[in-house]
Amino acid sequence: MLTWKASPLLLGAVGVLCFSITFPATHAAEASFSPVVVGLGRAVPAAALAAIILTARRQPLLPPREILGRMLIVAGTVGIGFGLLSAIALHQVSSVHGAVLTGLIPAATAGMAVLRAGERPRPRYWAALALGLAVVVGFAVIQGGGRLRSGDILLLIAIVVAGIGYTEGGALARQYGGWRIICWALILALPVSLPVTAAAVIADPPRHVTAGAAAGLAYVCFVSMCLGFFAWYQGLARGGVARIGRLQLAQPALTLGWSALLLGEHVGLLTGAAAVAVIAVTAVGRNARVDSSGPDQKKPSRPGFTQHAPYSHIPGQPPLTGASAAPGCGDASG
């Protein structure tokens, strides 16, 4: 498992790698399961895993009252909204097409970081993101014959939803650890995800379930919805939401590769060019400075380690050390 010694960029990169397979896995799962089951139902097994992890770590299954409102935002966006909206959209457009649009997620995340996390990206950062926005929107319009299709609109809404969830979850992870935040969010989403998924299975039962569809559903349930967020939220918490969030500019190219490799989808010249342009934007914006004015962003006490507020305010729980702040972590005292 990743430890506190891992750099924020490495944690963020692991999260992006996990998320880059989500669209191909979603497409594969939708060959046998309805978009609602794939998009929203993925949160149900993930919540069961989250409950097991929290119980094994002797942590409460629900967050402290003082952050319940903010946690409901994470649950509604990450636990429900993004998965459902993107799954419905991917029922109408290809994984390759959706992959390029995901280049908008860093822009949404950076915008929400300004509003919610107290971060202030410098002009160079915004310039790089503006170029990325122009590339992905232009690509979607050209692919849609001069207009945005309904699938594109759903993906754009999903991207804004993701930006909200990433920012709010990343800010909370500064105090509670990334793994707790996603676990709590998945459990809080259960009153919606469980009954709606059950109704969807009854209304549109799985059909001709193949190994590929089952594997795709398992991936989005346990990796996309749970394990990938352990690294992602911790990276956002330690490296800053805007700074680490821009790593997702590389996600479209990764998803294109997975779509071609796993689904056999064709990557055309226009799609490839758009992906290359997005990667170039990532390189340009990589070293752009991001300031933080948030009250909970403190100066590191030693290289490579960001101080976090103590966890002692979790009811009934003792203060946690760096070594116990993430499941399976090793000693962080070295």
Side-chain angles (χ1 to χ4, degrees), residues 109-137:
T109 304
M112 296 304 166
V114 171
L115 297 175
R116 302 291 300 175
E119 297 183 1
R120 295 294 181 267
R122 292 295 182 92
R124 181 182 172 189
Y125 178 69
W126 289 114
L129 284 179
L131 179 58
L133 285 173
V135 170
V136 295
V137 172

Side-chain angles (χ1 to χ4, degrees), residues 124-125 127-129 131 246 277-288:
R124 181 182 172 189
Y125 178 69
L129 284 179
L131 179 58
R246 66 181 170 221
V278 169
I279 293 173
V281 169
T282 305
V284 170
R286 184 179 183 277
N287 294 319

Side-chain angles (χ1 to χ4, degrees), residues 38-76:
V38 177
L40 186 58
R42 67 178 73 178
V44 176
L49 176 61
I52 292 172
I53 292 172
L54 287 170
T55 301
R57 300 285 297 176
R58 298 181 181 179
Q59 299 298 304
L61 294 179
L62 294 175
R65 288 185 179 181
E66 59 264 28
I67 63 166
L68 183 58
R70 297 175 68 188
M71 281 302 310
L72 288 174
I73 293 175
V74 180

Side-chain angles (χ1 to χ4, degrees), residues 261-304:
L261 179 64
L262 300 176
L263 303 178
E265 292 187 358
H266 174 68
V267 180
L269 180 61
L270 176 63
T271 303
V276 169
V278 169
I279 293 173
V281 169
T282 305
V284 170
R286 184 179 183 277
N287 294 319
R289 184 173 174 179
V290 177
D291 297 327
S292 176
S293 57
D296 55 352
Q297 185 73 15
K298 299 180 180 181
K299 185 177 179 180
S301 60
R302 60 179 184 234

Side-chain angles (χ1 to χ4, degrees), residues 168-211:
E168 199 67 54
L172 286 169
R174 292 173 180 169
Q175 288 186 306
Y176 295 93
W179 69 279
R180 280 189 195 82
I181 296 305
I182 189 58
C183 286
W184 285 337
L186 291 168
I187 291 174
L188 287 174
L190 272 177
V192 174
S193 61
L194 184 57
V196 173
T197 300
V201 170
I202 294 172
D204 188 1
R207 54 202 176 275
H208 308 296
V209 178
T210 64

Side-chain angles (χ1 to χ4, degrees), residues 21-35 38-39 42 83 86-88 90-91 95 213 216-217 219-220 224 263:
I21 308 177
T22 297
F23 278 10
T26 298
H27 248 300
E30 288 182 349
S32 300
F33 302 93
S34 73
V38 177
R42 67 178 73 178
S86 61
I88 295 173
L90 289 172
H91 205 57
S95 176
L217 184 60
Y219 186 90
V220 296
S224 300
L263 303 178

